Amino acid sequence: MKSAHKSFGSVLLAVLALSLAAAPRQDDPRAEIVNLRNYTHANFTRVVLDIGTLREYTFGELRDPGRIYVDVLQAKLNPILQGQSYAFKAGYINQVRISQKTASTVRLVLDVDFSQIQSYRVYHLFDPYRLVVDIYPHGKEAPAGAPPAKTRPPGDKTQPAVKRKVDPNDPNFNGTSMARQLGLGVRTVVIDPGHGGPRPGTIGRSGLQEKEVNLAVALALRTLLRDKAGIDAILTRESDVDVGLDDRTVIANQKRADLFVSIHANAHRDRRRGGVETFFLNISPDPSVIELAAAENATSTKNIGQMKSILEKIVQNNKIQESKDLAEAIQKNLCRALARDLAGVQNLGVKGGPFWVLIGGEMPSVLVEISHLSNAKEEAKLKTKKYRDLAAQGIYDGIMEYVHSLGKG
Ligand SMILES: [Zn+2]
């Protein structure tokens, strides 16, 4: 493998020298590719190429040795990525590498053993624009905690690889919500009960787990949306299972949801602190928001810092304003509803925060911290059906206020 790296590197250098010589310095039409990520899940491997700007791509297979390649057109590699390769322990995928194939084409290559692969998929996601390759090996059952069949992410093994071309007429491609752009109002809402399965989220002093509260509120909210408003409400999980943060918005995108609402309960070091806050995706300088986002993202505050480069690309997106509008409507109505059972419940306001689960969605997306599990009084309330139902009612009222503000509700 080492020698392969070496020769690959020298070929890359030659190609780079050519491409640098050929590349115009000004008005370069090429999108710069700055990030290559990969995740090894129990039953599949995901490779993500962050591009940021809409680009056409093609993909195919090569045999002997087995390779899957993806060519990104009108693209160039950031110097940091030049010559990068990633070795894998999984037998079915050995290595991922990336190179500037021609002056205007970047090629991603996955060295694979096709005899061990059941299927793979290549597709794109927006906000920021990125290409995803999911590879499923033979003989792997879905892991315990996989989402129910109805809400399976697009890595569904039964689906063949699909070659996709980018359609600039796709109403989602610039990030504007379908609701606004098509004037359709809101037909589908994806509700995301945070955490689940082996990830309980925050745990109150009496042992109440956040994942349970989130699910109960989400189920009640689904009933309200369906029965009272005739809105198609879909949950990212319907039981005590874990779903990856990326997969939660993948579900929302697949269902062409108009809104995405992630439901959580808060934790704060200061157990006296209580109240309600609602977030939309943004960079935040507030250390307490960064701390909360790190907990919700199940990552470190250091990684939050690394998200900044991705976030900077999306804050310009007009989806942010719509998300903020939705957050404000939910925050106001949620506080009003909860006050019926908890006098003086604190309104901590609407804030921007770097929450990973809010990144992938193509629709206005918010994360609601319905109350504090770390606060004994609020934990006691969160145990009760009454308070959970009021939380669902408040979020419902907020969604409906937002829908009416679109003028078509
Ligand atoms: Zn949470």
Side-chain angles (χ1 to χ4, degrees):
M1 207 57 76
K2 246 181 195 166
S3 62
H5 279 185
K6 204 175 174 187
S7 65
F8 171 71
S10 51
V11 170
L12 182 69
L13 277 177
V15 173
L16 275 171
L18 276 174
S19 70
L20 283 173
R25 298 225 143 207
Q26 301 288 325
D27 304 311
D28 192 337
R30 299 174 300 170
E32 187 169 2
I33 295 175
V34 294
N35 200 16
L36 175 62
R37 302 176 276 139
N38 63 76
Y39 309 91
T40 304
H41 297 269
N43 66 334
F44 71 103
T45 293
R46 169 167 295 174
V47 176
V48 180
L49 196 57
D50 290 303
I51 302 172
T53 308
L54 196 73
R55 281 295 175 269
E56 294 230 345
Y57 62 98
T58 59
F59 66 91
E61 297 172 7
L62 298 167
R63 302 274 166 172
D64 301 317
R67 282 152 289 164
I68 297 165
Y69 68 87
V70 182
D71 283 344
V72 186
L73 312 182
Q74 286 296 308
K76 65 175 173 181
L77 269 184
N78 179 280
I80 296 164
L81 274 184
Q82 287 167 11
Q84 286 282 8
S85 66
Y86 302 84
F88 284 76
K89 283 182 189 142
Y92 59 93
I93 170 165
N94 301 316
Q95 183 180 229
V96 173
R97 50 204 164 88
I98 190 162
S99 67
Q100 189 81 44
K101 189 190 161 212
T102 70
S104 62
T105 301
V106 167
R107 172 166 282 195
L108 175 72
V109 178
L110 295 86
D111 293 316
V112 297
D113 180 352
F114 279 114
S115 70
Q116 294 189 54
I117 290 176
Q118 181 168 307
S119 65
Y120 69 91
R121 274 172 54 92
V122 181
Y123 56 99
H124 61 271
L125 294 170
F126 294 100
D127 299 343
Y129 185 72
R130 57 206 191 274
L131 300 183
V132 183
V133 185
D134 285 347
I135 299 185
Y136 289 83
H138 280 297
K140 292 271 185 173
E141 295 303 317
K150 270 203 277 193
T151 56
R152 285 297 296 272
D156 193 325
K157 290 190 232 172
T158 58
Q159 295 178 32
V162 180
K163 182 171 177 173
R164 289 218 202 163
K165 274 198 150 185
V166 170
D167 176 8
N169 295 317
D170 184 329
N172 282 321
F173 101 95
N174 66 358
T176 305
S177 79
M178 284 176 68
R180 281 265 166 102
Q181 209 169 54
L182 303 180
L184 291 176
V186 171
R187 289 179 172 175
T188 307
V189 175
V190 165
I191 308 163
D192 172 46
H195 315 281
R199 301 174 196 275
T202 189
I203 300 173
R205 261 206 181 147
S206 77
L208 181 59
Q209 300 191 345
E210 186 195 343
K211 64 177 182 178
E212 183 210 322
V213 175
N214 298 341
L215 182 60
V217 173
L219 287 166
L221 176 58
R222 177 172 70 178
T223 302
L224 288 171
L225 286 166
R226 283 182 177 173
D227 295 355
K228 284 184 151 186
I231 287 174
D232 187 14
I234 297 158
L235 267 57
T236 56
R237 65 178 180 97
E238 298 180 340
S239 59
D240 185 18
V241 295
D242 188 25
V243 181
L245 291 177
D246 283 344
D247 292 338
R248 293 173 190 247
T249 42
V250 165
I251 291 166
N253 293 342
Q254 264 199 321
K255 299 289 179 188
R256 299 229 156 209
D258 302 301
L259 304 175
F260 178 86
V261 179
S262 188
I263 297 175
H264 290 257
N266 214 330
H268 199 274
R269 304 168 175 210
D270 181 355
R271 290 186 176 268
R272 289 166 303 179
R273 188 185 192 253
V276 179
E277 53 192 344
T278 306
F279 293 90
F280 60 97
L281 183 68
N282 213 339
I283 299 163
S284 174
D286 180 345
S288 72
V289 168
I290 289 168
E291 205 171 307
L292 175 63
E296 298 294 17
N297 293 344
T299 183
S300 64
T301 48
K302 187 171 154 249
N303 285 343
I304 296 276
Q306 288 162 356
M307 280 171 69
K308 218 179 151 206
S309 64
I310 302 174
L311 286 169
E312 274 165 353
K313 288 185 202 141
I314 31 183
V315 288
Q316 304 297 332
N317 195 309
N318 52 11
K319 189 186 73 175
I320 301 285
Q321 185 56 47
E322 299 196 11
S323 299
K324 189 163 175 275
D325 293 347
L326 175 63
E328 273 162 4
I330 287 177
Q331 174 71 13
K332 183 179 78 183
N333 285 279
L334 179 55
C335 288
R336 189 182 290 163
L338 293 178
R340 285 185 226 153
D341 194 37
L342 182 61
V345 64
Q346 280 240 45
N347 182 340
L348 300 171
V350 166
K351 300 167 184 176
F355 293 91
W356 192 259
V357 75
L358 299 179
I359 286 183
E362 295 161 10
M363 65 295 302
S365 304
V366 301
L367 184 148
V368 192
E369 298 278 359
I370 56 171
S371 284
H372 281 62
L373 256 178
S374 51
N375 176 290
K377 201 165 139 192
E378 294 189 2
E379 184 189 9
K381 287 292 181 190
L382 285 167
K383 277 183 188 166
T384 67
K385 185 176 185 311
K386 182 182 180 189
Y387 197 76
R388 293 173 179 185
D389 285 348
L390 282 170
Q393 181 69 49
I395 297 169
Y396 169 81
D397 291 341
I399 290 172
M400 295 317 292
E401 184 178 312
Y402 176 79
V403 170
H404 292 306
S405 79
L406 298 175
K408 292 273 181 174

